[in-house]
Amino acid sequence: MACITNKLRLAGLRPTRQRVALGSILFGSGDRHVSAEMLHAEALAAGEQVSLATVYNTLHQFTEAGLLRELAIDGSKAFFDTNTSNHNHFYVENDGSLLDIPTGSIRVDGLPEPPKGLKISHIDVVVRLVPDDR
Amino acid sequence: MACITNKLRLAGLRPTRQRVALGSILFGSGDRHVSAEMLHAEALAAGEQVSLATVYNTLHQFTEAGLLRELAIDGSKAFFDTNTSNHNHFYVENDGSLLDIPTGSIRVDGLPEPPKGLKISHIDVVVRLVPDDR
DNA sequence: ATGCCTGCAAAATATTTGCATGTAA
DNA sequence: TTACATGCAAATATTTTGCAGGCAT
């Protein structure tokens, strides 16, 4: 808990009750993939009173502070990943679940040069999975 | 125009006025990346009366029929691509524009096996670009 | 006390659904 | 005519914003 407080301070965020609560859920146990709604539900279940708007704001603040990474998986819902290192994902289309693909196991080759004046910030690879009906 | 009608029939969709109108915009001129809202605006500008809901429904029907591919680029907005072949994208984060990366120029190596019972349906690669401030 | 920062209610935005209506056979 | 598909109004889902109030100084 103290370490969450510290983590927030280091990131330049005031350790308010809500942030500490959400941070504990997010960073308390290994890598997680959450949507705003999932996190909100968890917070309520844990007895923390937070509004959904605050969850959204907090997720974005954490993302800007580099504590989270936002994932674009599905056209109409944002996911956030507590693992900010450079890694990629399996997405199981049937149940909407996400699995990490370990850092470094994927290599992307043959990238064309980006247009003039632009540089690559980050490459996202999403491997979409469906049932293997065999 | 007749070819749009035909295309819809082949895909198993009745060529209604709205579908033909939206199809003409989408497939009439090269590869396009559109959001529902953009397409709706274009349709209105072209003098076609369509509701935004119909645009959404039509985009999804086209996607299911294999005429479009849905892109997950941004957490909170869906994009559709008229190029359904296997290719990837540059995403310019500043202005939100999308550029195709030609088929085949990218190779992804070192993929781990998918979990049992699942198989790879499709791999999305999004190369995010930011201004090169040099 | 003062002024910046926070968190939430309300607003805005984005998407889906249910059903009256239209259309092909 | 009949049955099914269609398209839109209304409902829902998702995200952002504006501002009253809290907090560190």
Side-chain angles (χ1 to χ4, degrees):
Chain A
M1 187 67 89
C3 91
I4 297 291
T5 303
N6 206 41
K7 189 169 188 144
L8 293 177
R9 267 197 234 286
L10 284 174
L13 295 170
R14 271 209 261 169
T16 63
R17 183 171 55 73
Q18 285 86 341
R19 282 180 185 165
V20 172
L22 296 176
S24 299
I25 293 173
L26 287 169
F27 307 116
S29 60
D31 292 342
R32 312 226 21 205
H33 304 105
V34 300
S35 68
E37 209 182 350
M38 282 162 52
L39 182 55
H40 184 228
E42 272 195 74
L44 294 186
E48 295 290 343
Q49 191 196 309
V50 211
S51 81
L52 184 54
T54 295
V55 172
Y56 273 102
N57 290 339
T58 302
L59 285 171
H60 284 134
Q61 286 154 4
F62 283 11
T63 300
E64 256 175 65
L67 301 176
L68 293 175
R69 164 168 294 178
E70 186 169 356
L71 302 178
I73 295 293
D74 176 276
S76 70
K77 204 159 193 180
F79 276 81
F80 293 84
D81 189 339
T82 60
N83 178 350
T84 57
S85 72
N86 190 48
H87 69 290
N88 298 107
H89 297 93
F90 281 126
Y91 178 63
V92 186
E93 303 208 313
N94 282 62
D95 61 5
S97 68
L98 272 177
L99 303 168
D100 282 329
I101 297 176
T103 311
S105 65
I106 284 192
R107 236 190 36 250
V108 177
D109 275 332
L111 268 185
E113 276 299 303
K116 239 187 157 54
L118 297 170
K119 67 174 185 215
I120 294 175
S121 115
H122 176 246
I123 301 179
D124 280 333
V125 180
V126 178
V127 180
R128 287 160 201 281
L129 302 175
V130 291
D132 184 357
D133 38 64
R134 184 171 23 85
Chain B
M1 189 67 86
C3 89
I4 297 290
T5 302
N6 205 41
K7 188 169 191 145
L8 294 177
R9 267 196 233 285
L10 284 175
L13 297 169
R14 269 208 263 168
T16 62
R17 184 172 53 72
Q18 287 86 341
R19 283 181 183 167
V20 172
L22 296 176
S24 299
I25 294 174
L26 287 170
F27 308 116
S29 61
D31 293 342
R32 312 231 18 209
H33 304 107
V34 300
S35 68
E37 210 182 351
M38 282 162 51
L39 182 56
H40 184 228
E42 272 196 76
L44 294 186
E48 294 292 344
Q49 190 197 311
V50 212
S51 82
L52 185 53
T54 296
V55 173
Y56 274 101
N57 289 339
T58 303
L59 284 172
H60 285 135
Q61 286 155 2
F62 282 12
T63 300
E64 255 175 67
L67 301 176
L68 292 176
R69 165 167 295 177
E70 186 168 358
L71 302 177
I73 294 294
D74 175 278
S76 68
K77 204 159 191 181
F79 276 80
F80 294 83
D81 190 337
T82 59
N83 180 349
T84 57
S85 72
N86 190 48
H87 69 291
N88 298 106
H89 298 94
F90 281 125
Y91 178 64
V92 186
E93 303 208 313
N94 282 62
D95 61 5
S97 68
L98 271 178
L99 304 167
D100 282 329
I101 298 176
T103 312
S105 66
I106 283 191
R107 238 195 26 253
V108 177
D109 274 332
L111 269 184
E113 276 299 302
K116 242 189 151 55
L118 297 170
K119 68 175 184 212
I120 294 176
S121 115
H122 175 246
I123 301 178
D124 280 334
V125 179
V126 178
V127 180
R128 286 159 202 281
L129 301 175
V130 291
D132 183 359
D133 37 65
R134 182 170 26 85

